[in-house]
Amino acid sequence: MKLIKVIKDLVIEGKLSDFGDNNTPAALKKEKEIKNKKVKPMDSLEDLDLNTLGRNVTVKEYRYGPLNPDDEKGSKTFWEDKAEMWDTTVEHAKTSRCSNCVAFNQKPATLKKMEKAIGEEGKKIVKEANLGFCEFFWFKCAGARTCDAWVAGGPLK
């Protein structure tokens, strides 16, 4: 079975609307709009609502976070949960970030497309946030975060 088929099934299995009203209205609207339509992974680089949908589903189903990686106090529980799940220490769990995940795509062509879609400050924003494209869940991903699907060996360059 091809990896893209597995990932597609993972993304399709859950819906953002399954999680009630505590979601981004634009992402919920996009979910309805694309129902039964074919969407390409890289479409979310240029479609902010589609990007947000992918990110929100990943937050809900794969615990993407923490919300603010620089907030040690606020992200304490997040990292404790990750450490427990991975049966390791908090310090070691913190070394498993999107920036070193094999699904974190930072290929030049991908970053250029991302920068262009963001606009005038795109290059600065992509660099400052250490953004990449998540090949698993199809959204612009921040390098300082992580999720339950993290796999060593990245990023894709």
Side-chain angles (χ1 to χ4, degrees):
M1 183 180 284
K2 290 187 175 182
L3 180 60
I4 195 75
K5 167 85 170 94
V6 172
I7 300 308
K8 194 174 185 181
D9 289 346
L10 286 172
V11 173
I12 292 171
E13 78 182 20
K15 293 185 219 147
L16 191 57
S17 55
D18 292 341
F19 297 102
D21 294 331
N22 188 18
N23 289 297
T24 309
L28 289 168
K29 181 180 172 194
K30 180 58 77 172
E31 181 180 71
K32 287 179 187 173
E33 180 185 309
I34 65 170
K35 187 177 183 180
N36 300 322
K37 290 183 182 174
K38 189 172 182 169
V39 178
K40 293 181 220 147
M42 291 286 180
D43 288 351
S44 63
L45 287 177
E46 296 172 334
D47 183 332
L48 184 58
D49 296 346
L50 185 59
N51 179 78
T52 303
L53 173 61
R55 187 213 48 213
N56 289 2
V57 169
T58 308
V59 167
K60 300 291 185 181
E61 291 196 0
Y62 295 90
R63 301 183 303 175
Y64 174 69
L67 177 62
N68 181 356
D70 294 332
D71 178 7
E72 285 292 322
K73 186 178 177 187
S75 63
K76 184 176 187 276
T77 302
F78 175 89
W79 289 112
E80 289 170 348
D81 290 348
K82 283 288 183 256
E84 184 177 334
M85 183 190 81
W86 287 329
D87 194 28
T88 190
T89 65
V90 168
E91 292 73 26
H92 195 250
K94 286 181 176 182
T95 67
S96 302
R97 306 282 183 138
C98 293
S99 63
N100 61 5
C101 176
V102 75
F104 192 67
N105 180 341
Q106 286 191 311
K107 293 178 180 178
T110 302
L111 295 179
K112 196 170 273 313
K113 191 171 185 178
M114 195 181 300
E115 291 165 1
K116 184 178 176 188
I118 291 171
E120 189 177 317
E121 296 293 319
K123 190 170 188 147
K124 179 182 178 186
I125 291 168
V126 168
K127 184 180 181 194
E128 297 281 324
N130 190 22
L131 292 179
F133 180 75
C134 178
E135 292 287 342
F136 286 165
F137 302 113
W138 306 349
F139 70 99
K140 292 186 244 8
C141 180
R145 293 186 172 143
T146 194
C147 80
D148 292 349
W150 179 88
V151 180
L156 299 171
K157 292 275 185 172

